[in-house]
Amino acid sequence: MTETDRRPAAAGRVTLTDVAALAGVSVGTASKALSGNGRMRPETRERVLDAARRLDFQPNEAARILLAGRTWTVGLVTTDGIGRFSTPVLLGAEDALGAGKISVLLCDTRGDAIRERHYVQTLLARRVDGIIVTGRRTDPRDPLQGLHGVPTVYALAPSTDPADMSVTSDDEGGARLAVEHLIASGRRRIAHVTGPAHHAAASHRARLTQTQLADAGLELSGGRVHFGDWSEAWGRRAAQAVLRTAPGTDAFFCGNDQIARGVTDTLRESGHPVPEDIAVIGYDNWDTMALASRPPLTTIDMNLTEIGRIAALRLLDAIDGRPSEGPRTVPCKLIIREST
């Protein structure tokens, strides 16, 4: 029988059964050989691969899943409906996952626990290979439940379980970069205006700021942290309060760019040019705020895209059977503009 005789009819699609028949092996052996799994003689594996090449075997999507034991999909569960934080994380994850032609299924829970459970069940029903969890805050969160061994990585907001894989921003390094930059530019009376005290990002950065100042022999201008909310309006009110109670203030380190923009508005309107009289530094490097500020803001970039990329790489390792436990931090970057 010639090779042409042994090919399946042209009208029909080449199947795994056809490959197995040409190679002289069982369908199960052919499947294992093509997926790279299972033990067999090298010559048997090569015979199957050669048969697949000769027949131009192209498995359909369902067959590819069966061959590899994977669906080539990953779920991304987020609480950040507007995408301010989750979009850069998603872009970074897609950069890493795209090379492997893995699709990402985005699920916005809107911070609702019932919706989150529904999405997790949906992703498991679709047999995703893994899950990335992210959100709009850095506060530790409870781990997802009922995962049945599906690899999961928490990005930006770490899991409360220290054994879970988490990738977060280095807040300590970010606060250090901000304070060191202000001190290096000659500022000595630095005020700190930030968000709600019960938010991890606000409380953590406030504590780190005070520590950094103390290490330099300094203390906060006005003697306290100004906690409020993450808004321009709060930045304006806080700046007015600082100018009244600590008129010698020569710099503001703000907990985010929205607050910083509000501070710069008040300083400009109050006759305190930025940065000539008072320097201002923000946090997040949100272009919408930082570049529209007058003047444009010096700020700390949390490196969200890199957080997403590393989270995806850790997830891929876990999917491939090489999980790594525990948290990992990503360094922040200082972005210098005209406000300092």
Side-chain angles (χ1 to χ4, degrees), residues 26-224:
S26 69
V27 173
T29 298
S31 174
K32 292 176 181 178
L34 291 173
S35 66
N37 296 323
R39 295 182 179 181
M40 65 187 68
R41 293 177 180 274
E43 55 268 29
T44 301
R45 190 183 304 277
E46 184 56 36
R47 196 163 69 248
V48 173
L49 295 176
D50 181 62
R53 286 191 294 267
R54 291 164 64 185
L55 294 175
D56 192 24
F57 174 62
Q58 300 292 331
N60 59 28
E61 188 62 21
R64 191 166 75 103
I65 291 170
L66 290 173
L67 284 173
R70 293 172 58 173
T71 61
W72 307 96
T73 56
V74 164
L76 191 142
V77 177
T78 180
T79 59
D80 182 21
I82 62 173
R84 165 66 191 93
F85 293 99
S86 64
T87 297
V89 172
L90 173 60
L91 292 175
E94 285 188 324
D95 284 345
L97 297 171
K101 299 181 180 179
I102 296 175
S103 300
V104 178
L105 305 176
L106 179 62
C107 302
D108 175 17
T109 70
R110 306 178 194 175
D112 182 85
I114 295 176
R115 188 183 295 268
E116 180 175 275
R117 286 196 297 272
H118 165 72
Y119 278 132
V120 169
Q121 292 169 1
T122 300
L123 291 173
L124 294 178
R126 299 188 69 160
R127 297 179 59 202
V128 294
D129 298 323
I131 297 174
I132 297 174
V133 185
T134 188
R136 62 178 178 268
R137 288 165 54 176
T138 61
D139 297 73
R141 54 150 296 149
D142 292 334
L144 298 181
Q145 300 298 312
L147 293 175
H148 305 296
V150 174
T152 302
V153 180
Y154 298 83
L156 186 63
S159 168
T160 53
D161 186 342
D164 284 338
M165 293 185 291
S166 297
V167 182
T168 62
S169 180
D170 179 12
D171 257 354
E172 182 173 353
R176 183 174 61 253
L177 286 172
V179 173
E180 287 180 348
H181 175 66
L182 292 174
I183 293 175
S185 63
R187 313 295 171 165
R188 293 296 180 271
R189 302 196 63 186
I190 302 169
H192 186 50
V193 180
T194 191
H198 65 276
H199 282 199
S203 61
H204 196 206
R205 291 169 197 166
R207 177 174 57 80
L208 294 168
T209 297
Q210 291 172 295
T211 299
Q212 290 295 321
L213 289 173
D215 290 345
L218 304 172
E219 60 181 24
L220 284 171
S221 181
R224 69 181 182 89

Side-chain angles (χ1 to χ4, degrees), residues 298-320:
T298 292
T299 185
I300 301 299
D301 191 317
M302 296 172 66
N303 226 348
L304 295 174
T305 301
E306 183 67 2
I307 289 175
R309 190 185 73 85
I310 292 178
L313 291 176
R314 292 190 74 183
L315 185 63
L316 289 174
D317 283 343
I319 291 170
D320 289 337

